[in-house]
Amino acid sequence: MNISLWQAILIGVVYYLGITGTPWLTALGSTIIQKPLVAGVLVGCIMGDPIQGAIIGAAIQLPFIAYISAGGAPPTDPGLAGTLGTALAIAGGVKPTAAIAIAVPIGLLGTIIWVIHMTVDVFFVHAIDRAAAEGNMKKAKFLHIVPPQIFAFFLGCIPVALGCYFGSGAVTDIIHALEGRPLQALEVIGGLLPAIGIAMNLRAISKPGILLWYILGFIVAVYLNLETMPIAIIAGIVAYIYTSIIAKIDDAAVPAMAGGAGPDDDFDDDFE
C-alpha cells in the first residue's frame, strides 16, 4: 500500500499536534495525541483503515505504557512511534507484533527531533527576555507563541511526511524480503517488547498506596465479570472521588503549615 502525499502531510500534522508544548489541544490534554493508541486511530482514519490503525496503535502502546518524561529529557518519543510506526506498518501490511519492532527504533529517533526542538527554542526565550526588558509585551507574546509553533510544525510535520511518503515503499520491500524465518523472528521480538512496558507499570503498581487499587480492580474484573468499559467508568468515578478527598485534605493542611493558630499558639499568647 502506498501513502499519498496528502496522507503523508496529514500524518505529519497528527504528529505535530502531539508534540509537548503544542497549545491547540490543551483542553483535551496536551499529550493525548502523543499516545500511540490515539495516534494510531487517527493515522488509520487518514489511511482508510481505522480499525487496523487502532489494533496496531494499541500494540505499539504497550512498550510505552509506563512512559514518563522526567526533567525534559525523554528517553524515546511515543508520538513518533505511534504515528510513523503505524503508518509504515499499515502500508507494509505487517502484523501488530512486527509493527512494534518497527515502531520502537523509530521512537528512539524521535529524541533527535526533541533535542533540536528544545535547542532552537532557547533562542526564542532569549528574544522574549529582550522584548520584556524593553517593555514591549505585545512582541513578547508574539515571540512566545507564533515563531516556536511555526518551527515546531515544520520540524514535526516535514520529517514524518517525508518518512511516510518515501519510506512506505521501502518498508514494503523490506517486509517482502524478510518473509519467512526473518519476519517470524521480528514478530517474536516485537511480542517480547511489550513486556518491558508492562514490567515498568507493575513496578509502579507494587507500591503500597497503589497496590490496593490494583487488587480492587482485579477483583472487580474477575469476580463481577464486568466488561472493560464499565470498569473504566467505575475507575474514573473512584479516581475523581479519591483525588477530591486528597485535595481537600491538602487544602486543610496548608493553613496549618503556613503558621495557622493552634493550641501552642494560644498558649504562647497567654504570656504576651
Side-chain angles (χ1 to χ4, degrees):
M1 176 182 179
N2 292 324
I3 301 176
S4 68
L5 180 60
W6 285 110
Q7 286 176 325
I9 293 174
L10 289 175
I11 293 170
V13 172
V14 170
Y15 174 66
Y16 158 71
L17 292 175
I19 295 176
T20 302
T22 304
W24 316 119
L25 298 176
T26 303
L28 299 177
S30 58
T31 59
I32 188 171
I33 294 185
Q34 190 184 57
K35 310 302 180 185
L37 175 57
V38 179
V41 173
L42 296 176
V43 170
C45 291
I46 293 171
M47 298 184 66
D49 196 349
I51 295 177
Q52 189 65 14
I55 293 172
I56 294 176
I60 297 174
Q61 179 72 63
L62 289 175
F64 301 98
I65 196 169
Y67 168 82
I68 59 171
S69 175
T76 184
D77 187 349
L80 186 62
T83 51
L84 186 55
T86 301
L88 296 179
I90 293 176
V94 300
K95 295 181 180 179
T97 49
I100 297 172
I102 295 173
V104 170
I106 292 176
L108 294 174
L109 292 175
T111 58
I112 299 174
I113 296 177
W114 176 256
V115 171
I116 296 174
H117 184 198
M118 292 295 98
T119 301
V120 175
D121 277 356
V122 171
F123 294 98
F124 297 133
V125 172
H126 291 313
I128 294 170
D129 289 339
R130 289 192 293 269
E134 297 169 358
N136 191 343
M137 298 309 298
K138 184 176 181 179
K139 181 179 179 182
K141 292 178 181 178
F142 174 83
L143 292 172
H144 179 65
I145 299 174
V146 178
Q149 290 306 315
I150 293 175
F151 176 72
F153 176 81
F154 285 105
L155 183 65
C157 186
I158 291 177
V160 173
L162 293 176
C164 290
Y165 188 70
F166 293 105
S168 60
V171 170
T172 303
D173 293 339
I174 292 172
I175 295 302
H176 289 317
L178 293 176
E179 286 184 352
R181 290 293 179 87
L183 187 58
Q184 291 176 1
L186 191 65
E187 292 174 357
V188 171
I189 294 171
L192 293 174
L193 287 173
I196 299 174
I198 294 172
M200 293 175 64
N201 208 28
L202 289 175
R203 184 178 180 183
I205 290 173
S206 63
K207 296 181 180 179
I210 303 176
L211 183 60
L212 291 176
W213 296 110
Y214 175 77
I215 295 173
L216 178 61
F218 178 81
I219 293 173
V220 170
V222 174
Y223 293 99
L224 297 183
N225 294 322
L226 295 178
E227 299 292 335
T228 303
M229 184 58 68
I231 292 176
I233 295 173
I234 293 172
I237 295 172
V238 171
Y240 176 79
I241 295 173
Y242 179 77
T243 53
S244 299
I245 294 173
I246 294 299
K248 290 180 180 179
I249 294 174
D250 291 341
D251 291 341
V254 168
M257 295 177 63
D264 292 338
D265 294 329
D266 293 337
F267 181 81
D268 293 337
D269 291 341
D270 293 336
F271 292 91
E272 289 181 357

